[in-house]
Amino acid sequence: MSLIITDECINCDVCEPECPNEAISQGDEIYVIEPSKCTECVGHFDEPQCQQVCPVDCIPLDPNRQESEEQLMEKYLTLTGQL
């Protein structure tokens, strides 16, 4: 699954620079995650870095975008030009 930022986001700006895929950006009201770029940090880290730094715990898995570990790795390889 890719991650999603919920309405509880306080726009603290700490998640955006932590994303190695540049999947997080400022939306109209809160930060948003581009699902096609989100690998949940697979290929980069053992766990999603944005979740680790979020002070309000507003970055859960997106239940509408289920992806296996293999799919996330394939997305990582594509994004990094290794596939």
Side-chain angles (χ1 to χ4, degrees):
M1 295 183 199
S2 70
L3 301 170
I4 188 169
I5 297 177
T6 65
D7 291 341
E8 287 81 32
C9 176
I10 58 171
N11 290 312
C12 66
D13 303 321
V14 298
C15 62
E16 183 181 23
E18 295 300 318
C19 182
N21 296 324
E22 298 180 354
I24 301 174
S25 62
Q26 180 64 49
D28 291 336
E29 295 181 26
I30 60 173
Y31 277 87
V32 294
I33 296 177
E34 172 57 47
S36 66
K37 293 182 176 181
C38 180
T39 63
E40 296 176 46
C41 289
V42 168
H44 294 284
F45 302 102
D46 292 335
E47 51 194 347
Q49 298 301 289
C50 60
Q51 286 180 330
Q52 299 304 305
V53 298
C54 181
V56 292
D57 203 24
C58 68
I59 310 176
L61 293 172
D62 183 348
N64 297 317
R65 298 193 180 272
Q66 296 187 20
E67 295 172 286
S68 68
E69 185 87 14
E70 292 79 23
Q71 289 171 310
L72 293 169
M73 180 56 80
E74 186 174 324
K75 189 190 302 186
Y76 160 76
L77 293 172
T78 299
L79 288 169
T80 59
Q82 298 178 50
L83 187 63

Coordinates of all heavy atoms in Angstrom, one line a residue:
M1 N 0.8 -1.2 0.0 CA 0.0 0.0 0.0 C 0.9 1.2 0.0 O 1.9 1.2 0.6 CB -0.9 0.1 1.3 CG -1.9 -1.0 1.4 SD -2.8 -0.8 2.9 CE -3.4 -2.4 3.1
S2 N 0.4 2.3 -0.6 CA 1.1 3.5 -0.4 C 0.5 4.1 0.9 O -0.5 3.6 1.4 CB 0.9 4.4 -1.6 OG -0.4 4.9 -1.7
L3 N 1.1 5.2 1.3 CA 0.6 5.9 2.5 C -0.3 7.0 2.1 O -0.3 7.4 1.0 CB 1.8 6.4 3.3 CG 2.8 5.3 3.7 CD1 4.1 5.9 4.3 CD2 2.2 4.4 4.7
I4 N -1.0 7.5 3.1 CA -1.9 8.7 2.9 C -1.8 9.6 4.1 O -1.5 9.1 5.2 CB -3.4 8.2 2.7 CG1 -4.3 9.3 2.3 CG2 -3.9 7.5 3.9 CD1 -5.7 8.9 1.8
I5 N -1.9 10.9 3.8 CA -1.9 11.8 4.9 C -3.3 12.2 5.2 O -4.1 12.7 4.3 CB -1.0 13.1 4.6 CG1 0.4 12.6 4.4 CG2 -1.1 14.1 5.7 CD1 1.4 13.7 3.9
T6 N -3.8 12.1 6.5 CA -5.1 12.4 6.8 C -5.3 13.9 7.2 O -4.4 14.6 7.3 CB -5.6 11.5 8.0 OG1 -4.8 11.9 9.2 CG2 -5.4 10.0 7.7
D7 N -6.6 14.2 7.4 CA -7.0 15.6 7.8 C -6.4 16.0 9.1 O -6.5 17.2 9.4 CB -8.5 15.7 7.8 CG -9.1 15.6 6.5 OD1 -8.4 15.8 5.5 OD2 -10.3 15.3 6.4
E8 N -5.8 15.1 9.9 CA -5.2 15.5 11.2 C -3.9 16.2 11.0 O -3.3 16.7 11.9 CB -5.1 14.3 12.1 CG -6.3 13.8 12.7 CD -7.1 12.9 11.7 OE1 -6.5 12.2 10.9 OE2 -8.4 12.9 11.8
C9 N -3.4 16.2 9.7 CA -2.1 16.9 9.4 C -2.1 18.3 9.9 O -3.1 19.1 9.7 CB -1.9 16.8 7.9 SG -0.4 17.7 7.3
I10 N -1.0 18.7 10.6 CA -0.9 20.1 11.1 C 0.1 20.9 10.3 O 0.5 22.0 10.7 CB -0.5 20.1 12.6 CG1 0.9 19.4 12.7 CG2 -1.6 19.5 13.4 CD1 1.5 19.5 14.1
N11 N 0.4 20.4 9.1 CA 1.4 21.2 8.2 C 2.6 21.6 8.9 O 3.1 22.7 8.7 CB 0.7 22.4 7.6 CG -0.4 22.0 6.6 OD1 -0.2 21.2 5.7 ND2 -1.6 22.6 6.8
C12 N 3.2 20.7 9.6 CA 4.5 21.0 10.3 C 5.7 20.9 9.5 O 6.8 21.3 9.9 CB 4.6 20.1 11.5 SG 4.9 18.3 11.1
D13 N 5.6 20.4 8.3 CA 6.7 20.4 7.3 C 7.8 19.4 7.6 O 8.8 19.4 6.9 CB 7.4 21.8 7.2 CG 6.4 22.9 6.8 OD1 5.6 22.6 5.9 OD2 6.6 24.0 7.3
V14 N 7.6 18.5 8.5 CA 8.7 17.5 8.8 C 8.7 16.3 7.9 O 9.8 15.7 7.7 CB 8.8 17.1 10.3 CG1 9.0 18.3 11.2 CG2 7.5 16.3 10.7
C15 N 7.6 15.9 7.3 CA 7.5 14.7 6.5 C 8.1 14.9 5.1 O 8.8 14.0 4.6 CB 6.1 14.2 6.4 SG 4.9 15.3 5.6
E16 N 7.9 16.0 4.5 CA 8.3 16.2 3.1 C 9.8 16.0 2.9 O 10.2 15.2 2.0 CB 7.9 17.6 2.6 CG 8.3 17.9 1.2 CD 7.9 19.3 0.7 OE1 7.8 20.2 1.6 OE2 7.8 19.5 -0.5
P17 N 10.7 16.6 3.7 CA 12.1 16.3 3.4 C 12.6 14.9 3.7 O 13.7 14.5 3.2 CB 12.8 17.4 4.2 CG 11.9 17.7 5.3 CD 10.5 17.6 4.7
E18 N 11.8 14.1 4.4 CA 12.2 12.8 4.8 C 11.9 11.8 3.7 O 12.5 10.7 3.7 CB 11.5 12.3 6.1 CG 11.9 13.1 7.3 CD 13.3 13.0 7.6 OE1 13.9 11.9 7.6 OE2 13.9 14.1 8.0
C19 N 11.1 12.1 2.7 CA 10.7 11.1 1.7 C 11.8 11.0 0.7 O 12.1 12.0 -0.1 CB 9.4 11.6 1.0 SG 8.8 10.4 -0.2
P20 N 12.4 9.8 0.5 CA 13.5 9.6 -0.4 C 13.0 9.6 -1.9 O 13.8 9.8 -2.8 CB 14.1 8.3 -0.1 CG 12.9 7.6 0.6 CD 12.1 8.6 1.3
N21 N 11.7 9.5 -2.1 CA 11.1 9.4 -3.5 C 10.5 10.7 -3.9 O 9.9 10.8 -4.9 CB 10.1 8.3 -3.6 CG 10.7 6.9 -3.4 OD1 11.9 6.7 -3.8 ND2 10.0 6.0 -2.8
E22 N 10.5 11.7 -3.0 CA 9.9 13.0 -3.2 C 8.4 12.8 -3.6 O 7.8 13.5 -4.4 CB 10.6 13.8 -4.3 CG 12.0 14.1 -4.0 CD 12.8 14.8 -5.1 OE1 12.3 15.1 -6.2 OE2 13.9 15.2 -4.8
A23 N 7.7 11.9 -2.8 CA 6.3 11.7 -3.0 C 5.4 12.6 -2.2 O 4.2 12.7 -2.5 CB 6.0 10.2 -2.6
I24 N 6.0 13.3 -1.3 CA 5.2 14.2 -0.4 C 5.3 15.6 -0.9 O 6.4 16.1 -1.1 CB 5.6 14.1 1.0 CG1 5.4 12.6 1.5 CG2 4.8 15.0 1.9 CD1 6.0 12.3 2.9
S25 N 4.2 16.3 -1.0 CA 4.2 17.7 -1.4 C 3.1 18.5 -0.7 O 2.1 17.8 -0.2 CB 4.1 17.9 -2.9 OG 2.9 17.4 -3.3
Q26 N 3.1 19.8 -0.7 CA 2.1 20.6 -0.1 C 0.9 20.6 -1.0 O 1.0 20.9 -2.1 CB 2.6 22.0 0.2 CG 1.6 22.9 0.8 CD 1.2 22.5 2.2 OE1 2.0 22.3 3.0 NE2 -0.1 22.5 2.4
G27 N -0.3 20.2 -0.4 CA -1.5 20.2 -1.2 C -2.2 21.5 -0.9 O -1.6 22.5 -0.4
D28 N -3.5 21.6 -1.3 CA -4.3 22.8 -1.1 C -4.4 23.2 0.4 O -4.3 24.4 0.7 CB -5.7 22.6 -1.7 CG -5.6 22.6 -3.2 OD1 -4.7 23.1 -3.8 OD2 -6.6 22.0 -3.8
E29 N -4.6 22.2 1.2 CA -4.8 22.5 2.7 C -3.8 21.8 3.5 O -3.4 22.3 4.6 CB -6.2 22.1 3.1 CG -7.3 22.9 2.4 CD -8.7 22.6 2.8 OE1 -8.9 22.0 3.9 OE2 -9.6 22.8 2.0
I30 N -3.4 20.5 3.2 CA -2.5 19.7 3.9 C -1.5 19.1 3.0 O -1.7 19.2 1.8 CB -3.2 18.7 4.8 CG1 -4.0 17.7 3.9 CG2 -4.1 19.3 5.8 CD1 -4.5 16.5 4.6
Y31 N -0.5 18.5 3.5 CA 0.5 17.7 2.7 C -0.2 16.5 2.1 O -1.2 16.0 2.7 CB 1.7 17.3 3.5 CG 2.7 18.4 3.7 CD1 2.6 19.3 4.7 CD2 3.7 18.5 2.7 CE1 3.5 20.4 4.8 CE2 4.6 19.6 2.8 CZ 4.5 20.5 3.9 OH 5.4 21.5 3.9
V32 N 0.2 16.1 0.9 CA -0.3 15.0 0.2 C 0.8 14.1 -0.2 O 1.9 14.5 -0.4 CB -1.2 15.4 -1.0 CG1 -2.4 16.2 -0.5 CG2 -0.4 16.2 -2.0
I33 N 0.4 12.8 -0.5 CA 1.4 11.8 -1.0 C 1.0 11.4 -2.3 O -0.2 11.0 -2.6 CB 1.5 10.6 0.0 CG1 2.0 11.1 1.4 CG2 2.4 9.5 -0.6 CD1 2.1 10.0 2.4
E34 N 1.9 11.4 -3.3 CA 1.6 10.9 -4.7 C 1.8 9.4 -4.6 O 2.9 8.9 -4.5 CB 2.6 11.6 -5.6 CG 2.6 11.0 -7.0 CD 1.2 11.1 -7.7 OE1 0.6 12.1 -7.6 OE2 0.8 10.0 -8.2
P35 N 0.7 8.7 -4.8 CA 0.8 7.2 -4.7 C 1.7 6.5 -5.6 O 2.3 5.5 -5.3 CB -0.7 6.7 -4.9 CG -1.5 7.9 -4.7 CD -0.7 9.1 -5.0
S36 N 1.9 7.1 -6.8 CA 2.8 6.5 -7.8 C 4.2 6.6 -7.4 O 5.1 5.9 -8.0 CB 2.5 7.1 -9.2 OG 2.9 8.4 -9.2
K37 N 4.6 7.4 -6.5 CA 5.9 7.6 -6.0 C 6.2 7.0 -4.6 O 7.3 6.9 -4.2 CB 6.3 9.1 -6.0 CG 6.4 9.7 -7.3 CD 6.8 11.2 -7.1 CE 7.0 11.9 -8.4 NZ 7.5 13.3 -8.2
C38 N 5.1 6.7 -3.9 CA 5.3 6.2 -2.5 C 5.6 4.7 -2.6 O 4.8 3.9 -3.1 CB 4.0 6.4 -1.7 SG 4.2 5.8 0.0
T39 N 6.7 4.3 -2.0 CA 7.1 2.9 -1.9 C 7.1 2.5 -0.4 O 7.7 1.4 -0.1 CB 8.5 2.6 -2.5 OG1 9.5 3.4 -1.7 CG2 8.6 3.0 -3.9
E40 N 6.6 3.3 0.5 CA 6.7 3.1 1.9 C 8.1 2.9 2.4 O 8.5 2.2 3.3 CB 5.9 1.8 2.3 CG 4.4 2.0 2.1 CD 3.7 0.7 2.4 OE1 4.0 0.1 3.5 OE2 2.8 0.3 1.6
C41 N 9.0 3.6 1.6 CA 10.5 3.6 1.8 C 11.1 2.2 1.5 O 12.3 2.0 1.8 CB 10.9 4.1 3.2 SG 10.6 5.9 3.4
V42 N 10.4 1.3 0.9 CA 11.0 0.0 0.5 C 12.1 0.3 -0.5 O 11.9 1.2 -1.4 CB 9.9 -0.9 -0.1 CG1 10.6 -2.1 -0.9 CG2 8.9 -1.4 0.9
G43 N 13.2 -0.3 -0.3 CA 14.4 0.0 -1.1 C 15.3 1.0 -0.5 O 16.5 1.1 -0.9
H44 N 14.8 1.8 0.4 CA 15.6 2.9 1.0 C 15.8 2.6 2.5 O 16.9 2.7 3.0 CB 14.9 4.2 0.9 CG 14.8 4.8 -0.5 ND1 15.9 5.3 -1.2 CD2 13.7 4.8 -1.4 CE1 15.5 5.7 -2.4 NE2 14.2 5.4 -2.5
F45 N 14.7 2.3 3.2 CA 14.8 2.2 4.7 C 13.9 1.0 5.1 O 13.1 0.5 4.3 CB 14.3 3.4 5.4 CG 15.1 4.7 5.0 CD1 14.6 5.6 4.1 CD2 16.3 4.9 5.6 CE1 15.3 6.7 3.8 CE2 17.0 6.0 5.3 CZ 16.5 7.0 4.4
D46 N 14.0 0.6 6.3 CA 13.2 -0.6 6.8 C 11.8 -0.2 7.1 O 10.9 -1.0 7.2 CB 13.8 -1.1 8.1 CG 15.2 -1.8 7.8 OD1 15.3 -2.3 6.6 OD2 16.0 -1.9 8.7
E47 N 11.5 1.1 7.4 CA 10.2 1.6 7.7 C 10.0 3.0 7.1 O 10.9 3.7 6.9 CB 9.9 1.5 9.2 CG 11.0 2.2 10.0 CD 10.8 1.8 11.5 OE1 9.8 1.3 11.9 OE2 11.7 2.1 12.2
P48 N 8.7 3.4 6.9 CA 8.5 4.7 6.3 C 9.0 5.8 7.2 O 8.6 5.9 8.3 CB 6.9 4.7 6.2 CG 6.5 3.3 6.1 CD 7.5 2.6 7.0
Q49 N 9.8 6.6 6.6 CA 10.4 7.7 7.4 C 9.5 8.8 7.7 O 9.5 9.4 8.8 CB 11.6 8.3 6.6 CG 12.7 7.3 6.3 CD 13.3 6.7 7.6 OE1 14.0 7.4 8.3 NE2 13.0 5.5 7.9
C50 N 8.5 9.1 6.9 CA 7.5 10.1 7.2 C 6.7 9.7 8.4 O 6.4 10.6 9.2 CB 6.6 10.4 6.0 SG 5.6 8.9 5.4
Q51 N 6.3 8.4 8.5 CA 5.6 8.0 9.7 C 6.5 8.2 11.0 O 5.9 8.5 12.0 CB 5.2 6.5 9.6 CG 4.1 6.3 8.6 CD 3.7 4.8 8.6 OE1 4.6 3.9 8.7 NE2 2.5 4.5 8.3
Q52 N 7.8 8.0 10.9 CA 8.6 8.1 12.0 C 8.8 9.5 12.6 O 8.9 9.7 13.8 CB 10.0 7.6 11.7 CG 10.1 6.1 11.2 CD 9.5 5.2 12.3 OE1 9.9 5.2 13.4 NE2 8.5 4.4 11.9
V53 N 8.7 10.5 11.7 CA 8.9 11.9 12.1 C 7.6 12.6 12.4 O 7.6 13.7 13.0 CB 9.7 12.7 11.1 CG1 11.1 12.1 11.0 CG2 9.1 12.8 9.8
C54 N 6.4 12.1 12.0 CA 5.1 12.7 12.1 C 4.8 12.9 13.6 O 4.6 11.9 14.3 CB 4.1 12.0 11.3 SG 2.4 12.8 11.5
P55 N 4.6 14.1 14.1 CA 4.3 14.3 15.5 C 2.8 14.0 15.8 O 2.5 13.9 17.0 CB 4.6 15.8 15.7 CG 4.4 16.4 14.4 CD 4.8 15.4 13.4
V56 N 1.9 13.9 14.8 CA 0.5 13.7 15.1 C 0.0 12.4 14.6 O -1.2 12.1 14.7 CB -0.4 14.9 14.6 CG1 -0.1 16.1 15.4 CG2 -0.2 15.1 13.1
D57 N 0.9 11.5 14.1 CA 0.6 10.2 13.7 C -0.6 10.2 12.7 O -1.6 9.5 12.8 CB 0.2 9.4 14.9 CG 0.4 7.9 14.6 OD1 1.2 7.5 13.8 OD2 -0.3 7.1 15.3
C58 N -0.4 11.0 11.6 CA -1.5 11.1 10.6 C -1.2 10.5 9.2 O -1.7 11.0 8.2 CB -1.9 12.6 10.5 SG -0.7 13.6 9.7
I59 N -0.2 9.6 9.2 CA 0.2 9.0 7.9 C 0.0 7.5 8.0 O 1.0 6.7 8.1 CB 1.6 9.4 7.6 CG1 1.8 10.9 7.7 CG2 2.0 8.9 6.2 CD1 3.2 11.3 7.5
P60 N -1.2 7.0 7.8 CA -1.5 5.5 7.8 C -1.4 5.0 6.4 O -1.2 5.7 5.4 CB -2.9 5.5 8.3 CG -3.6 6.7 7.7 CD -2.5 7.8 7.8
L61 N -1.5 3.6 6.3 CA -1.5 3.0 5.0 C -2.8 3.4 4.4 O -3.9 3.5 5.0 CB -1.5 1.5 5.2 CG -0.2 0.9 5.7 CD1 -0.3 -0.6 6.0 CD2 0.9 1.1 4.7
D62 N -2.8 3.5 3.1 CA -4.0 3.9 2.3 C -4.7 2.6 2.0 O -4.2 1.8 1.1 CB -3.6 4.6 1.0 CG -4.8 5.1 0.2 OD1 -5.9 4.6 0.5 OD2 -4.6 5.9 -0.7
P63 N -5.9 2.3 2.6 CA -6.6 1.0 2.3 C -7.1 0.9 0.9 O -7.4 -0.2 0.4 CB -7.7 1.1 3.3 CG -8.0 2.5 3.6 CD -6.6 3.2 3.5
N64 N -7.1 2.0 0.1 CA -7.6 1.9 -1.3 C -6.4 1.6 -2.2 O -6.7 1.5 -3.4 CB -8.2 3.2 -1.6 CG -9.5 3.5 -0.8 OD1 -10.3 2.6 -0.6 ND2 -9.6 4.7 -0.4
R65 N -5.2 1.5 -1.7 CA -4.1 1.3 -2.6 C -3.2 0.2 -2.0 O -2.1 0.4 -1.6 CB -3.3 2.5 -2.8 CG -4.1 3.6 -3.4 CD -3.1 4.8 -3.9 NE -3.9 5.8 -4.5 CZ -4.2 5.9 -5.8 NH1 -3.8 4.9 -6.6 NH2 -4.8 6.9 -6.3
Q66 N -3.7 -1.0 -2.1 CA -3.0 -2.2 -1.5 C -1.9 -2.6 -2.5 O -2.2 -2.9 -3.6 CB -3.9 -3.3 -1.1 CG -4.9 -2.9 -0.1 CD -5.7 -4.1 0.4 OE1 -5.4 -5.2 0.2 NE2 -6.8 -3.8 1.0
E67 N -0.6 -2.8 -2.0 CA 0.5 -3.2 -2.7 C 1.3 -4.2 -1.9 O 1.5 -4.0 -0.7 CB 1.4 -2.1 -3.2 CG 0.7 -1.1 -4.1 CD 1.5 0.1 -4.4 OE1 1.6 1.0 -3.5 OE2 2.1 0.2 -5.5
S68 N 1.8 -5.2 -2.5 CA 2.6 -6.2 -1.8 C 4.1 -5.6 -1.7 O 4.4 -4.6 -2.4 CB 2.7 -7.5 -2.6 OG 3.4 -7.3 -3.8
E69 N 4.9 -6.3 -0.9 CA 6.3 -5.9 -0.7 C 7.0 -6.0 -2.1 O 7.8 -5.1 -2.4 CB 6.9 -6.8 0.3 CG 8.4 -6.4 0.6 CD 8.5 -5.4 1.7 OE1 7.5 -5.2 2.4 OE2 9.6 -4.9 1.9
E70 N 6.7 -7.0 -2.9 CA 7.2 -7.1 -4.2 C 6.8 -6.0 -5.1 O 7.7 -5.5 -5.9 CB 6.8 -8.5 -4.8 CG 7.4 -9.7 -4.1 CD 6.7 -10.1 -2.8 OE1 5.5 -9.7 -2.7 OE2 7.3 -10.7 -1.9
Q71 N 5.6 -5.6 -5.1 CA 5.1 -4.5 -5.9 C 5.8 -3.2 -5.5 O 6.2 -2.4 -6.4 CB 3.6 -4.3 -5.8 CG 2.9 -5.4 -6.5 CD 1.4 -5.4 -6.2 OE1 1.0 -5.3 -5.0 NE2 0.6 -5.4 -7.2
L72 N 6.0 -3.0 -4.2 CA 6.7 -1.8 -3.7 C 8.1 -1.8 -4.2 O 8.6 -0.7 -4.6 CB 6.5 -1.7 -2.2 CG 5.1 -1.4 -1.7 CD1 5.1 -1.6 -0.2 CD2 4.6 0.0 -2.1
M73 N 8.8 -2.9 -4.1 CA 10.2 -3.0 -4.6 C 10.3 -2.8 -6.1 O 11.2 -2.1 -6.5 CB 10.7 -4.4 -4.2 CG 12.2 -4.5 -4.7 SD 13.3 -3.3 -4.1 CE 13.7 -3.9 -2.4
E74 N 9.3 -3.3 -6.8 CA 9.3 -3.0 -8.3 C 9.1 -1.5 -8.6 O 9.8 -1.0 -9.5 CB 8.2 -3.8 -9.0 CG 8.2 -3.7 -10.5 CD 7.3 -4.6 -11.1 OE1 7.0 -5.8 -10.7 OE2 6.7 -4.2 -12.2
K75 N 8.3 -0.9 -7.8 CA 8.0 0.6 -8.0 C 9.3 1.3 -7.6 O 9.7 2.2 -8.3 CB 6.9 1.0 -7.1 CG 6.5 2.5 -7.3 CD 5.5 3.0 -6.3 CE 4.2 2.3 -6.1 NZ 3.3 3.0 -5.2
Y76 N 10.0 0.9 -6.6 CA 11.3 1.5 -6.2 C 12.3 1.4 -7.3 O 13.0 2.3 -7.7 CB 11.8 0.9 -4.9 CG 13.3 1.1 -4.7 CD1 13.8 2.3 -4.2 CD2 14.2 0.0 -4.9 CE1 15.1 2.5 -4.0 CE2 15.5 0.2 -4.7 CZ 16.0 1.4 -4.3 OH 17.4 1.6 -4.1
L77 N 12.4 0.2 -7.8 CA 13.4 -0.1 -8.9 C 13.1 0.8 -10.2 O 14.0 1.3 -10.8 CB 13.4 -1.6 -9.3 CG 14.0 -2.5 -8.2 CD1 13.8 -3.9 -8.6 CD2 15.5 -2.2 -7.9
T78 N 11.8 0.9 -10.5 CA 11.4 1.8 -11.6 C 11.7 3.2 -11.3 O 12.3 3.9 -12.2 CB 9.9 1.6 -11.9 OG1 9.6 0.2 -12.2 CG2 9.5 2.5 -13.0
L79 N 11.4 3.7 -10.1 CA 11.7 5.1 -9.8 C 13.1 5.5 -9.8 O 13.5 6.6 -10.1 CB 11.0 5.4 -8.4 CG 9.5 5.5 -8.3 CD1 9.1 5.6 -6.9 CD2 9.0 6.7 -9.1
T80 N 14.0 4.5 -9.4 CA 15.4 4.8 -9.3 C 16.1 4.4 -10.6 O 17.4 4.5 -10.7 CB 16.0 4.0 -8.1 OG1 15.8 2.6 -8.3 CG2 15.5 4.5 -6.8
G81 N 15.4 4.0 -11.6 CA 16.0 3.6 -12.9 C 16.8 2.3 -12.9 O 17.6 2.1 -13.8
Q82 N 16.5 1.5 -12.0 CA 17.2 0.2 -11.9 C 16.4 -0.9 -12.6 O 16.8 -2.1 -12.6 CB 17.5 -0.2 -10.4 CG 18.3 0.8 -9.8 CD 18.6 0.5 -8.3 OE1 18.9 -0.7 -8.0 NE2 18.3 1.4 -7.4
L83 N 15.2 -0.6 -13.1 CA 14.4 -1.6 -13.8 C 14.2 -1.3 -15.2 O 14.1 -0.2 -15.6 CB 13.1 -1.7 -13.1 CG 12.2 -2.9 -13.5 CD1 12.8 -4.2 -13.2 CD2 10.8 -2.7 -12.8

